[in-house]
Amino acid sequence: MKTTDVTGWETAVLDGGPADGVRMKVPDRPRVIQVTHSCQIEAAPHGLRAEGVYVYRRDCSVTSEPLRYGFDMASP
């Protein structure tokens, strides 16, 4: 595995879905990245939160930076 620095962090980009084009640094080439987005709740008990969950899966055919993660519309 080729890394950009001693810590093993690599640049990755998300393809498709609500986070299309987002770039980030990831350690150790995770297979899946989970993206969350806060939702607004109406008339909920104090402290209750809701988040939308979106899953991106690594494209294993990409072996150099930027790593690519595609939106998995069937997840979670």
Side-chain angles (χ1 to χ4, degrees), residues 39-50:
C39 300
Q40 293 182 1
I41 299 177
E42 297 177 9
H46 179 71
L48 183 70
R49 294 183 350 193

Side-chain angles (χ1 to χ4, degrees), residues 25-75:
K25 292 285 190 176
V26 296
D28 304 323
R29 296 188 177 190
R31 292 183 185 191
V32 174
I33 293 176
Q34 176 178 302
V35 174
T36 62
H37 187 273
S38 296
C39 300
Q40 293 182 1
I41 299 177
E42 297 177 9
H46 179 71
L48 183 70
R49 294 183 350 193
E51 295 186 353
V53 177
Y54 306 96
V55 174
Y56 289 78
R57 297 190 185 279
R58 184 167 52 93
D59 179 347
C60 294
S61 67
V62 177
T63 58
S64 61
E65 290 184 85
L67 302 175
R68 311 273 313 168
Y69 286 80
F71 177 61
D72 183 345
M73 64 186 339
S75 293

